[in-house]
Amino acid sequence: MAFKTDIEIAREAKKRPIQEIGEKLGISSADLLPYGHDKAKVSQTFIDSVQGNPNGKLILVTAINPTPAGEGKTTTTVGLGDGLNRIGKKAAVCIREASLGPNFGMKGGAAGGGYAQIVPMEEMNLHFTGDFHAITSAHNLLSAMIDNHIYWGNALEIDTRRVVWRRALDMNDRALRTITASLGGVANGFPREAGFDITVASEVMAILCLATNLKDLEKRLGDMIVAYTRERKPIYARDIKADGAMTVLLKDAMQPNLVQTLENNPAFVHGGPFANIAHGCNSVIATTTALKLADYVVTEAGFGADLGAEKFMNIKCRKAGLAPSCVVVVATVRAMKMNGGVAKADLGAENVDAVKSGCANLGRHIENVKSFGVPVVVAINHFVTDTDAEVQAVKEYVKDQGSEAILSRHWELGSEGSAELATRVAEIADGDSANFAPIYPDEMPLFQKIETIAKRIYRADEVLADTKIRNQLKEWEEQGYGHLPVCMAKTQYSFTTDPERRGAPTGFSVPVREVRLSAGAGFVVVICGEIMTMPGLPRVPSAENIRLNADGDVEGLF
Amino acid sequence: MAFKTDIEIAREAKKRPIQEIGEKLGISSADLLPYGHDKAKVSQTFIDSVQGNPNGKLILVTAINPTPAGEGKTTTTVGLGDGLNRIGKKAAVCIREASLGPNFGMKGGAAGGGYAQIVPMEEMNLHFTGDFHAITSAHNLLSAMIDNHIYWGNALEIDTRRVVWRRALDMNDRALRTITASLGGVANGFPREAGFDITVASEVMAILCLATNLKDLEKRLGDMIVAYTRERKPIYARDIKADGAMTVLLKDAMQPNLVQTLENNPAFVHGGPFANIAHGCNSVIATTTALKLADYVVTEAGFGADLGAEKFMNIKCRKAGLAPSCVVVVATVRAMKMNGGVAKADLGAENVDAVKSGCANLGRHIENVKSFGVPVVVAINHFVTDTDAEVQAVKEYVKDQGSEAILSRHWELGSEGSAELATRVAEIADGDSANFAPIYPDEMPLFQKIETIAKRIYRADEVLADTKIRNQLKEWEEQGYGHLPVCMAKTQYSFTTDPERRGAPTGFSVPVREVRLSAGAGFVVVICGEIMTMPGLPRVPSAENIRLNADGDVEGLF
């Protein structure tokens, strides 16, 4: 049986004009700022006008720890959104935007897959509506203003060795990771070490995704720490007077983007912070706007539930006053097998025992999510090679955990395949059984917050951190940053900090290598392992094969 | 008498939906790709469909050498376009896009002024439709791929000291002019000197503005020289296999942008190459598309006629097969006075003698433009302080030169003030008296092309260039680049290379400091003086005062 590729399916999509998609949510064409015929931004004026509306139900889609087998979290998010619409509910999907740079290294990602996709796929993997370019510009304006301040006399007494604000590009360029800038003589400034991060790693990205409105955006931008004096006094973006101009550069980017699923249902695609050094969720403004317009909003969080759902709950929901009504944990039979020790090459063969053994990973995620007071459904994202016995094994395991697993075939069948999942999710959400709370209070000391996550979510025995790190955390507490949540940066492949340890490991420690303060975004980043903030290109970058074909279609991007 | 500022007037504009503006040119709303409600791109499909249409008349607006008094070249371009529409002609305007970065240094520029402006002004000074961001991405993708090629084994044997392709940002950032890249150890590549130019200085920008279609764009991108081997063998972007992916990144940017004048007439705003190291004209595709849709197309070229009109004729028209039917040389009484030796502070007082004496600058430009076989009209862009006697002095001088000068009051009155100019320009264009030809043939040796421009346009006695430069030009001729036009990079303030020498100087030499081959754009850059390709920010950058006000309007940008 031959299946069409995602891009083939996406190109066959019968897209409706974006104004029609807006109408489904009560957005008039005057309130939509179109970008071409199939993309639009929702105007700030309109967003302001619907603040009195009641909120719909928020549904989070998260997953087991990712494996090379693929889980289909976005695919399930889209499929569930379409499924809800199919059963007569007014539902919208909220996901993140794709980063441009990585698409020229490895092939670009679809937004979903099979018959559960968001379109237009090409544009979403290229410039889309320009949000990331706006973030890059705002980021680099601040960078230029810092060096310009130093050049013209350095009235703020910035220690040029302690400029922590780097530059940003949406490009995989390892040559820019570490540079010496301001070379070439007196006219070019004071030489100093500097470097670039990829745009999605910028604190501006995290801020755009957490800000509730333009005023909040400007305040948070001003709060960013960009450098220190020789006496370690922090210098803020506000001191550089960059916050106003950065806000101007971001004013359009703050408006959420509306596109559509293959089934012409509304999808908001907005923001894309890293899921390690940032919180990995689409923008608060997209989510809160969607909740004012739809009865059900299906969203997702980056990586597995140990990172993605944890940050969604402890950072995004806490800060934005959101509360999920139901959480869907995506699992696949194939991923269960890999967690059960099967190599990727052997996934084609039935192996019920391996499935059963791998389910421990799923079980821990279910338990973790429930600890936030939210009901859980497991979606088994169906692959054609799955056998009935394997599917049954997952269902039984989940049932034994006191939850329910539903096979969903949206990849193959679109909403027809996800209607059962949608029905159950709607029932649970409507049942209002959730009693959501973050798992630690604001007032808990920072190190204790780290321990809470490491012990309660990862099930580590202890957190290891040397005195320097502990003192740094205490210093921030004294400076008034103790109330911030922590943002864990560790491997997504394991509950531990070792990417090879699949399943549900116990008996390990979580070593903290470094802590960073994202004072504008409003969290303390806790780095537990190697975190790369500027990727490189592979030996044969996909860019070498990307081109327009004779029909004007993009080849090689997917 | 108090006048409104440009931004005040622009904000009061009664803009029509961009689809209505498109309709005036026969572009259906399906063929317009909207960006918000007041900006759109004209689809490539539509452009292809109108290639059989006859061409309208092309009118170039150029100017005397710029002075601090301001000439109003764009204002006159817009005013003339509105004037033509007012007298019942189907006319469109074609101008360049603004660069983002410089607006955060000095205040941003309006597109025109007074009642002769193009809107939306804010967007045109910010991200507009994202073209420059796309160029930045394409440029930096190539940069990343070059260093990536070296990193993975350098099969092309690039000499890392001879990488001529730099990086680009649309930001004034002197700290990036000269850097050392790829520091930080084995994983980050081979350390080497590098640097950034501002995006408008990128060869990609020049190529986008000279390419006739996407296929031509891809070919030109592939032709760019990015580095040399130790044996001085050129390495092309094509060798790096970046041309296809760069074309994909630029496919939307290649489609011309449509906006409107204050009087709701169509204006194409597309591309913005430097007017020194590049040719300083809006895109060929915008101009040729406008000519298929309108009976009169009014466009402009950067700087004064010695640089702008010369390059428009010798580079853009030659390469794109265009021929202007009429050239308007813009002059002001104030600028004549400055050319006549009056200081800026004293411009308010009547000084007919100074006007007369300064007219020599205008006279030489008129003569130069006529040498291309094109009829000339002088537009005196009226300032409120001009006296009748001063205006009369300019008119008489121009009459003595065998041409005609018309006072135009579009700044104050819109098209009502430019109707006379428009009437005369239309008459001349309709008269088909032009017999356009570039002033040197393709086959002339490169150095002789430089001499031709220096002697015939600037009126220099000689061109000075050392053996190294002359040999370089000969080497390029041997390599097959001898047929290219030359692109002069010198000060815009004087016919000479000394910005202080106003008027119509004689008895000077033109020293050539450096020559560069832009093999993709298709010209040889001839640098005669200091050329800055990455500006810096001033002591108090305008960014410090840019912010959104309580109404959501941008303050401080203008």
Side-chain angles (χ1 to χ4, degrees):
Chain A
M1 187 167 170
F3 289 95
K4 289 182 181 167
T5 63
D6 289 348
I7 181 70
E8 283 167 349
I9 295 170
R11 285 199 181 137
E12 287 170 7
K14 302 269 182 294
K15 282 181 291 185
R16 302 302 312 157
I18 196 62
Q19 289 79 6
E20 280 185 32
I21 309 302
E23 269 168 36
K24 292 190 177 187
L25 297 175
I27 313 171
S28 76
S29 63
D31 291 320
L32 275 184
L33 303 165
Y35 283 67
H37 299 294
D38 51 10
K39 307 176 288 297
K41 285 190 165 283
V42 181
S43 81
Q44 190 62 54
T45 324
F46 176 77
I47 294 172
D48 294 343
S49 75
V50 296
Q51 290 309 308
N53 291 10
N55 281 328
K57 307 282 186 187
L58 181 59
I59 297 147
L60 174 71
V61 176
T62 184
I64 54 171
N65 289 97
T67 69
E71 286 67 47
K73 194 172 52 190
T74 308
T75 304
T76 303
T77 304
V78 176
L80 176 56
D82 281 339
L84 286 163
N85 277 289
R86 185 185 186 92
I87 63 169
K89 306 294 187 184
K90 190 175 176 184
V93 162
C94 285
I95 66 165
R96 286 172 291 165
E97 298 180 56
S99 181
L100 177 73
N103 292 337
F104 295 94
M106 312 291 278
K107 287 193 175 192
Y115 288 90
Q117 292 189 58
I118 296 174
V119 284
M121 198 205 266
E122 274 103 338
E123 279 86 342
M124 289 169 60
N125 278 281
L126 292 169
H127 308 291
F128 199 34
T129 61
D131 294 341
F132 287 17
H133 291 318
I135 290 167
T136 305
S137 293
H139 185 117
N140 291 326
L141 172 62
L142 174 55
S143 311
M145 289 176 78
I146 293 166
D147 279 306
N148 192 59
H149 177 88
I150 295 167
Y151 177 84
W152 287 106
N154 199 7
L156 292 168
E157 297 181 354
I158 290 170
D159 182 342
T160 58
R161 303 164 306 173
R162 293 194 172 97
V163 177
V164 292
W165 190 255
R166 290 159 53 89
R167 285 172 171 83
L169 268 190
D170 194 0
M171 196 54 67
N172 287 21
D173 192 348
R174 68 170 67 74
L176 294 178
R177 284 175 189 154
T178 309
I179 66 171
T180 322
S182 299
L183 299 175
V186 172
N188 296 353
F190 296 85
R192 66 173 186 86
E193 277 190 45
F196 284 71
D197 294 325
I198 193 161
T199 299
V200 286
S202 166
E203 189 175 350
V204 178
M205 174 67 85
I207 287 176
L208 185 103
C209 291
L210 286 168
T212 48
N213 55 44
L214 284 168
K215 208 172 161 164
D216 184 36
L217 177 78
E218 184 167 18
K219 197 232 163 233
R220 287 168 178 270
L221 291 170
D223 286 343
M224 294 189 301
I225 295 172
V226 299
Y228 294 88
T229 64
R230 219 178 157 102
E231 291 73 37
R232 315 283 176 93
K233 186 172 92 67
I235 305 294
Y236 298 90
R238 185 176 295 110
D239 300 324
I240 300 292
K241 298 181 186 161
D243 46 338
M246 291 174 79
T247 305
V248 167
L249 280 168
L250 294 169
K251 73 182 171 59
D252 295 334
M254 261 296 275
Q255 298 173 126
N257 305 302
L258 182 68
V259 284
Q260 63 192 289
T261 68
L262 292 178
E263 300 190 9
N264 311 123
N265 292 313
F268 292 93
V269 179
H270 195 219
F274 256 26
N276 44 42
I277 60 152
H279 60 294
C281 305
N282 75 283
S283 76
V284 163
I285 199 160
T287 306
T288 55
T289 301
L291 285 167
K292 295 295 181 190
L293 304 177
D295 296 326
Y296 302 84
V297 173
V298 186
T299 190
E300 62 167 348
F303 297 154
D306 54 328
L307 282 165
E310 184 271 307
K311 293 181 188 189
F312 177 83
M313 311 276 197
N314 281 324
I315 300 177
K316 180 173 176 175
C317 289
R318 178 199 305 263
K319 290 293 170 184
L322 296 169
S325 298
C326 177
V327 172
V328 177
V329 178
V330 180
T332 61
V333 164
R334 286 153 59 87
M336 291 300 96
K337 279 193 232 182
M338 285 200 88
N339 267 293
V342 175
K344 197 178 176 189
D346 302 326
L347 288 176
E350 183 178 83
N351 190 336
V352 176
D353 286 343
V355 169
K356 283 182 182 168
S357 138
C359 277
N361 184 271
L362 172 60
R364 189 178 284 179
H365 287 298
I366 295 171
E367 204 171 76
N368 284 345
V369 170
K370 283 184 180 168
S371 72
F372 287 89
V374 189
V376 172
V377 176
V378 172
I380 306 173
N381 182 20
H382 182 65
F383 270 65
V384 285
T385 53
D386 298 352
T387 70
D388 289 346
E390 289 173 329
V391 169
Q392 201 51 38
V394 179
K395 284 190 173 182
E396 277 166 19
Y397 174 85
V398 174
K399 199 174 169 191
D400 288 347
Q401 306 296 308
S403 288
E404 183 178 356
I406 298 172
L407 187 70
S408 196
R409 301 179 66 174
H410 42 272
W411 181 86
E412 189 183 346
L413 303 170
S415 65
E416 194 190 328
S418 60
E420 187 190 345
L421 176 67
T423 305
R424 190 66 193 112
V425 165
E427 277 171 12
I428 292 172
D430 293 344
D432 284 329
S433 62
N435 188 15
F436 168 73
I439 60 163
Y440 57 80
D442 288 355
E443 55 276 14
M444 184 184 278
L446 291 169
F447 191 73
Q448 220 176 306
K449 287 174 181 164
I450 301 170
E451 286 185 316
T452 302
I453 294 168
K455 292 180 180 171
R456 286 188 47 191
I457 303 292
Y458 310 156
R459 317 296 170 98
D461 293 334
E462 58 179 349
V463 174
L464 305 175
D466 62 25
T467 316
K468 198 178 154 197
I469 286 172
R470 289 171 192 252
N471 286 346
Q472 177 64 80
L473 294 172
K474 275 186 205 134
E475 197 179 315
W476 287 333
E477 283 164 357
E478 283 156 19
Q479 288 166 5
Y481 294 111
H483 66 289
L484 294 182
V486 293
C487 180
M488 305 298 286
K490 73 155 182 72
T491 178
Q492 67 266 38
Y493 298 111
S494 172
F495 278 107
T496 74
T497 57
D498 173 3
E500 302 301 322
R501 294 188 72 182
R502 298 210 172 109
T506 51
F508 62 93
S509 310
V510 171
V512 176
R513 286 171 32 133
E514 185 191 342
V515 286
R516 293 183 198 166
L517 177 57
S518 291
F523 49 67
V524 171
V525 183
V526 180
I527 297 176
C528 317
E530 291 282 350
I531 299 296
M532 174 61 70
T533 51
M534 173 51 94
L537 292 170
R539 183 181 287 270
V540 181
S542 66
E544 292 189 3
N545 298 306
I546 295 174
R547 54 187 61 245
L548 293 177
N549 66 19
D551 299 330
D553 287 329
V554 179
E555 293 296 338
L557 186 55
F558 305 100
Chain B
M1 187 167 171
F3 289 95
K4 288 181 180 166
T5 64
D6 289 346
I7 182 70
E8 283 167 349
I9 294 169
R11 284 198 181 139
E12 287 169 8
K14 302 270 182 293
K15 281 181 291 185
R16 303 301 312 158
I18 196 61
Q19 289 79 5
E20 280 185 31
I21 309 302
E23 270 168 35
K24 292 188 178 189
L25 297 175
I27 313 171
S28 76
S29 63
D31 291 321
L32 276 183
L33 303 165
Y35 283 67
H37 300 294
D38 52 9
K39 307 176 289 295
K41 285 190 166 283
V42 181
S43 81
Q44 190 63 53
T45 323
F46 177 78
I47 294 172
D48 294 343
S49 75
V50 296
Q51 290 309 307
N53 290 9
N55 281 328
K57 307 282 187 186
L58 181 59
I59 298 148
L60 174 70
V61 176
T62 183
I64 55 171
N65 289 96
T67 69
E71 286 67 48
K73 193 171 54 190
T74 307
T75 304
T76 303
T77 303
V78 177
L80 176 55
D82 280 340
L84 286 163
N85 277 288
R86 185 184 185 93
I87 62 169
K89 308 292 187 185
K90 191 174 174 183
V93 162
C94 284
I95 66 164
R96 285 171 292 164
E97 298 180 56
S99 180
L100 178 74
N103 293 337
F104 295 94
M106 312 290 277
K107 286 193 176 194
Y115 288 90
Q117 292 190 57
I118 295 174
V119 285
M121 199 205 266
E122 274 102 340
E123 278 88 341
M124 289 170 59
N125 279 279
L126 292 169
H127 307 291
F128 198 33
T129 61
D131 293 342
F132 287 17
H133 291 317
I135 291 167
T136 305
S137 293
H139 185 115
N140 291 327
L141 172 61
L142 175 55
S143 312
M145 289 177 78
I146 293 167
D147 279 306
N148 191 59
H149 177 87
I150 295 167
Y151 177 83
W152 287 105
N154 198 7
L156 293 168
E157 298 183 353
I158 290 169
D159 183 342
T160 57
R161 302 164 307 173
R162 292 194 172 97
V163 177
V164 292
W165 191 254
R166 290 157 53 88
R167 284 173 172 81
L169 269 190
D170 194 1
M171 196 53 67
N172 287 21
D173 191 348
R174 68 170 68 75
L176 294 178
R177 285 174 189 154
T178 309
I179 67 170
T180 321
S182 299
L183 298 175
V186 171
N188 296 353
F190 295 86
R192 66 172 186 86
E193 277 190 44
F196 284 71
D197 294 324
I198 192 161
T199 299
V200 287
S202 167
E203 189 175 350
V204 179
M205 174 67 85
I207 287 177
L208 185 103
C209 291
L210 287 168
T212 48
N213 55 45
L214 284 168
K215 209 173 160 163
D216 183 37
L217 177 79
E218 185 166 19
K219 197 231 164 237
R220 287 168 178 270
L221 292 171
D223 286 343
M224 294 190 302
I225 294 172
V226 299
Y228 294 88
T229 64
R230 219 179 156 101
E231 291 73 37
R232 313 285 177 92
K233 186 173 92 67
I235 305 294
Y236 298 91
R238 185 174 296 111
D239 300 325
I240 300 293
K241 299 181 185 162
D243 45 339
M246 292 174 79
T247 304
V248 167
L249 280 167
L250 294 169
K251 73 181 172 61
D252 295 334
M254 260 298 275
Q255 299 173 126
N257 305 301
L258 181 68
V259 285
Q260 63 191 290
T261 67
L262 291 177
E263 300 190 9
N264 312 122
N265 293 312
F268 292 93
V269 179
H270 194 220
F274 255 28
N276 44 43
I277 59 152
H279 61 293
C281 305
N282 74 283
S283 76
V284 163
I285 199 160
T287 305
T288 55
T289 301
L291 284 168
K292 295 296 181 190
L293 305 177
D295 297 326
Y296 302 85
V297 173
V298 186
T299 189
E300 63 166 348
F303 296 155
D306 54 327
L307 282 166
E310 184 270 307
K311 294 181 188 188
F312 177 82
M313 311 275 198
N314 281 324
I315 299 177
K316 180 172 175 176
C317 288
R318 177 197 306 263
K319 290 292 171 184
L322 296 168
S325 299
C326 177
V327 172
V328 176
V329 178
V330 179
T332 60
V333 163
R334 288 154 57 89
M336 292 299 96
K337 278 194 232 181
M338 286 200 89
N339 268 293
V342 175
K344 197 177 175 189
D346 302 327
L347 287 176
E350 183 178 83
N351 190 336
V352 176
D353 287 342
V355 169
K356 284 182 180 169
S357 137
C359 276
N361 184 270
L362 172 60
R364 187 178 286 178
H365 287 296
I366 294 173
E367 206 172 72
N368 284 345
V369 170
K370 282 183 179 169
S371 72
F372 286 88
V374 189
V376 172
V377 176
V378 172
I380 307 172
N381 181 19
H382 183 65
F383 268 66
V384 286
T385 53
D386 300 350
T387 70
D388 290 346
E390 289 173 329
V391 169
Q392 200 52 38
V394 178
K395 285 190 172 182
E396 279 167 17
Y397 173 85
V398 174
K399 199 174 170 191
D400 290 346
Q401 306 295 310
S403 288
E404 185 179 353
I406 298 172
L407 186 70
S408 195
R409 301 178 68 173
H410 43 270
W411 182 85
E412 189 183 345
L413 303 169
S415 64
E416 194 189 328
S418 59
E420 187 190 344
L421 175 67
T423 304
R424 189 67 193 109
V425 165
E427 278 171 12
I428 292 172
D430 293 344
D432 283 329
S433 62
N435 188 16
F436 168 73
I439 61 163
Y440 57 79
D442 287 356
E443 55 276 14
M444 185 184 276
L446 292 169
F447 192 72
Q448 221 176 306
K449 287 173 180 164
I450 301 170
E451 285 185 316
T452 302
I453 294 168
K455 291 180 179 171
R456 286 186 50 189
I457 303 292
Y458 309 158
R459 317 296 169 99
D461 294 333
E462 57 178 350
V463 174
L464 305 175
D466 62 26
T467 317
K468 197 179 154 197
I469 285 173
R470 288 171 194 252
N471 287 347
Q472 176 65 80
L473 294 172
K474 275 186 205 135
E475 197 180 314
W476 286 335
E477 284 164 358
E478 284 156 19
Q479 288 167 6
Y481 294 111
H483 66 288
L484 295 181
V486 293
C487 181
M488 305 298 287
K490 73 158 185 67
T491 177
Q492 68 266 40
Y493 297 111
S494 172
F495 278 106
T496 75
T497 56
D498 173 3
E500 302 300 322
R501 293 187 74 182
R502 296 210 174 109
T506 51
F508 62 93
S509 310
V510 171
V512 177
R513 286 171 32 134
E514 185 191 342
V515 285
R516 292 182 198 166
L517 176 57
S518 291
F523 50 66
V524 170
V525 183
V526 180
I527 297 176
C528 317
E530 291 282 353
I531 299 296
M532 174 61 70
T533 51
M534 174 50 96
L537 292 169
R539 183 181 288 272
V540 182
S542 66
E544 291 189 5
N545 297 306
I546 295 174
R547 55 185 63 245
L548 293 177
N549 66 20
D551 299 330
D553 288 329
V554 179
E555 293 296 336
L557 186 55
F558 307 100

